[in-house]
Amino acid sequence: MSVEIFNPNKTTTLETPVKVLESNSTNSSKIGSRIGFVSLGCPKNLVDSERILTQLRTEGYDVVPTYNDAELVIVNTCGFIDSAVQESLDTIGEALAENGKVIVTGCLGIKEDEIREVHPNVLAITGPHAYESVVEQVHEHLPKPQHDPFLQLVPDHGIKLTPKHYAYLKISEGCNHRCTFCIIPSMRGDLVSRPVGEVLDEATRLKNAGVKELLVISQDTSAYGVDVKYQTGFWDGMPVKTDMLGLCKKLAEMGIWVRLHYVYPYPSVDKVIPLMAEGKILPYLDIPFQHANPRILKLMKRPAAAEKTLERIQAWRAICPQLIIRSTFIVGFPGETEDEFQQLLDFLTVAQLDRVGCFKYSDVEGAKANDLPDPVPESVKQERFERFMALQSKISAEKLQQKIGLEYQILIDEVTSEGAVGRCFADAPEIDGQVYLTDEFDVNPGDLIWGQIIHADEHDMWAVKVED
């Protein structure tokens, strides 16, 4: 299944779920039990898709890779930015045209009127993380098949839309922040932390299933446990505090890669850096800074100050010199002046971040930033975007050049006709760079090998395999 009209590279949609759905499809010949599934959006949405698919497979439904083979199609939508909304609407339209029976769920589902205005013939619409409602709608339009649990086994870790060697571990839902450019809280509600024992149980199942890398995600990973006042939970007969540090300590004991995403630069993060320095979790933080100018940050209602952020980064690197920091920024926010944009460039120069993404600001229906005065012209947004990326590309290239000659452990993601492709600790799947091992075929996806870096550009690296 694909999106023919819209270019998904403009959104947060991941490419891997499509490949995994195609490779894992059962292609059963049974009639009346076959479901097509399209998962759009970010890793947090992907986890919702995994939960829905796990329940459906547990009940005996089969998942098929094409519209024609499906008796019904589920589209899990994204509604974060306007381009994601358009991608979702186009995908719903494609599914209706190719199949005719479509259930819509996900973030865009909260805007039922908007969806039905464009696509009145969808069977049902539900909002995000409405797993039970989606399954109930499937039951209504596609009755439960006869199911033999001994022949149609679902693994303990459930259905995953990632390769077998890595998985996303969602630790909470919702967000307590009210950033003016974001509508996530209106879609997913306030922060709700999962019980720490439940999270660790899932992590254990994933490890036992062969997962080599856990990518910890939520809307605000560093706020984990705030809603339950960091209460002490229990796991494996031992007390565990419901906070990021307590969770990371236990995950570190599992002996696999643990990568932290969507972290805010709170003081509480300071306590996790020593775990990274000791090699217990990956020295990697994904922190969406968004800007550096105090006035713009205030207009955005971001919960951090740029000057304190620089001090914190320096302190983190003093403890853990190998720390990798990735971030995202917005240029052209309403009212942003040239001087304020230059301050953002100055921040990049001083911060020397390893991995950086940039978005040109665009209005999102329902976001408070839409009402701010002095919108920045599109031509200025584009010019600032290009200057921003030119500077960061130079910084990234210089930092990767420093890795030439060094040896790193590399997790193999795939083996192509040209050789193996993997990632080192500095690279998260699909959003960061890759490590290419040209003409190396004696490895398999999920293998952890050692490689020496021999070449790099501004984004990726090339390596040769070395003995452990």
Side-chain angles (χ1 to χ4, degrees):
M1 296 182 184
S2 63
V3 180
E4 297 176 349
I5 301 172
F6 196 80
N7 178 6
N9 290 331
K10 296 180 181 178
T11 75
T12 57
T13 294
L14 304 174
E15 297 179 2
T16 298
V18 177
K19 299 177 183 177
V20 175
L21 277 168
E22 291 176 349
S23 63
N24 289 350
S25 297
T26 54
N27 291 309
S28 170
S29 61
K30 292 185 298 182
I31 301 300
S33 63
R34 297 170 298 178
I35 292 176
F37 203 102
V38 182
S39 183
L40 305 175
C42 66
K44 296 177 283 294
N45 219 36
L46 180 147
V47 172
D48 293 345
S49 296
E50 292 174 338
R51 291 181 179 176
I52 295 169
L53 285 171
T54 296
Q55 181 59 38
L56 292 173
R57 287 289 291 119
T58 299
E59 295 182 359
Y61 291 94
D62 289 329
V63 181
V64 293
T66 67
Y67 292 121
N68 291 336
D69 291 333
E71 298 297 311
L72 179 151
V73 176
I74 300 172
V75 179
N76 191 8
T77 59
C78 178
F80 179 54
I81 53 178
D82 285 351
S83 57
V85 170
Q86 189 60 51
E87 179 189 28
S88 294
L89 291 173
D90 285 348
T91 304
I92 295 167
E94 180 184 272
L96 284 169
E98 297 292 332
N99 183 276
K101 297 179 68 175
V102 178
I103 291 175
V104 176
T105 187
C107 289
L108 189 60
I110 66 168
K111 300 180 180 180
E112 181 170 354
D113 292 344
E114 181 176 332
I115 295 173
R116 290 202 179 276
E117 182 179 349
V118 181
H119 302 299
N121 296 325
V122 295
L123 298 176
I125 300 173
T126 62
H129 53 86
Y131 320 118
E132 294 181 359
S133 296
V134 175
V135 173
E136 288 172 1
Q137 291 294 340
V138 172
H139 292 165
E140 180 177 337
H141 297 285
L142 191 62
K144 285 186 181 182
Q146 291 185 344
H147 177 44
D148 186 341
F150 296 102
L151 295 178
Q152 295 173 291
L153 296 176
V154 176
D156 289 341
H157 61 278
I159 304 300
K160 290 296 172 185
L161 297 180
T162 49
K164 294 180 180 180
H165 59 279
Y166 72 81
Y168 294 100
L169 181 68
K170 185 155 70 168
I171 63 174
S172 65
E173 188 57 81
C175 183
N176 288 342
H177 300 301
R178 295 296 183 265
C179 300
T180 57
F181 55 82
C182 180
I183 58 173
I184 291 297
S186 67
M187 293 178 172
R188 293 184 173 263
D190 290 337
L191 176 75
V192 178
S193 300
R194 292 178 64 192
V196 67
E198 179 183 304
V199 174
L200 291 169
D201 281 342
E202 181 179 352
T204 301
R205 291 193 297 271
L206 291 169
K207 177 194 173 182
N208 292 341
V211 166
K212 304 290 182 64
E213 177 183 15
L214 288 175
L215 299 107
V216 179
I217 59 170
S218 65
Q219 301 298 334
D220 180 359
T221 296
S222 41
Y224 178 62
V226 166
D227 54 314
V228 294
K229 296 181 170 56
Y230 307 115
Q231 70 184 22
T232 298
F234 287 88
W235 180 70
D236 200 23
M238 298 293 291
V240 184
K241 193 172 183 181
T242 307
D243 64 6
M244 187 170 67
L245 179 60
L247 177 63
C248 286
K249 284 181 176 179
K250 286 300 179 183
L251 292 175
E253 295 175 3
M254 296 185 180
I256 57 179
W257 283 12
V258 176
R259 190 184 300 276
L260 301 180
H261 285 276
Y262 315 121
V263 175
Y264 283 75
Y266 299 138
S268 60
V269 180
D270 300 350
K271 300 176 183 178
V272 178
I273 303 301
L275 294 179
M276 298 179 176
E278 296 165 10
K280 294 181 177 179
I281 64 174
L282 293 183
Y284 179 103
L285 285 174
D286 181 346
I287 307 176
F289 293 124
Q290 305 299 10
H291 212 278
N293 174 265
R295 189 183 75 88
I296 296 297
L297 288 170
K298 186 175 181 179
L299 288 175
M300 291 179 169
K301 290 194 174 179
R302 295 297 287 172
E307 61 274 10
K308 294 182 180 178
T309 295
L310 285 172
E311 294 174 4
R312 184 152 280 124
I313 290 173
Q314 293 171 355
W316 290 344
R317 285 175 170 159
I319 297 170
C320 183
Q322 66 270 39
L323 176 65
I324 297 294
I325 300 177
R326 100 166 314 275
S327 188
T328 52
F329 294 86
I330 297 173
V331 298
F333 192 78
E336 181 190 60
T337 66
E338 175 61 27
D339 287 343
E340 289 167 338
F341 172 69
Q342 184 60 51
Q343 188 170 345
L344 174 57
L345 297 184
D346 294 342
F347 175 90
L348 283 184
T349 301
V350 176
Q352 292 287 298
L353 304 178
D354 301 271
R355 300 293 193 186
V356 171
C358 182
F359 296 92
K360 292 177 289 183
Y361 173 81
S362 63
D363 287 345
V364 176
E365 184 179 352
K368 292 185 177 181
N370 300 348
D371 300 326
L372 292 174
D374 303 319
V376 177
E378 289 299 323
S379 59
V380 177
K381 291 180 190 176
Q382 181 63 31
E383 187 264 344
R384 290 177 181 174
F385 172 82
E386 292 173 1
R387 287 162 60 193
F388 179 102
M389 293 309 300
L391 174 59
Q392 182 55 41
S393 293
K394 181 175 181 293
I395 293 171
S396 178
E398 291 173 352
K399 292 180 78 71
L400 290 182
Q401 287 295 313
Q402 296 171 10
K403 291 179 168 57
I404 294 177
L406 302 179
E407 296 181 5
Y408 295 102
Q409 199 172 36
I410 299 169
L411 180 61
I412 302 299
D413 282 331
E414 62 178 331
V415 180
T416 71
S417 60
E418 297 181 354
V421 183
R423 295 172 289 109
C424 70
F425 78 94
D427 305 307
E430 296 209 50
I431 59 173
D432 292 329
Q434 296 177 304
V435 180
Y436 294 94
L437 295 99
T438 307
D439 296 328
E440 179 57 62
F441 301 100
D442 190 24
V443 291
N444 296 300
D447 286 351
L448 275 168
I449 66 170
W450 282 91
Q452 183 180 46
I453 307 302
I454 59 173
H455 176 69
D457 58 19
E458 69 275 6
H459 193 66
D460 301 311
M461 298 187 294
W462 283 256
V464 293
K465 185 180 178 181
V466 297
E467 296 300 322
D468 293 354

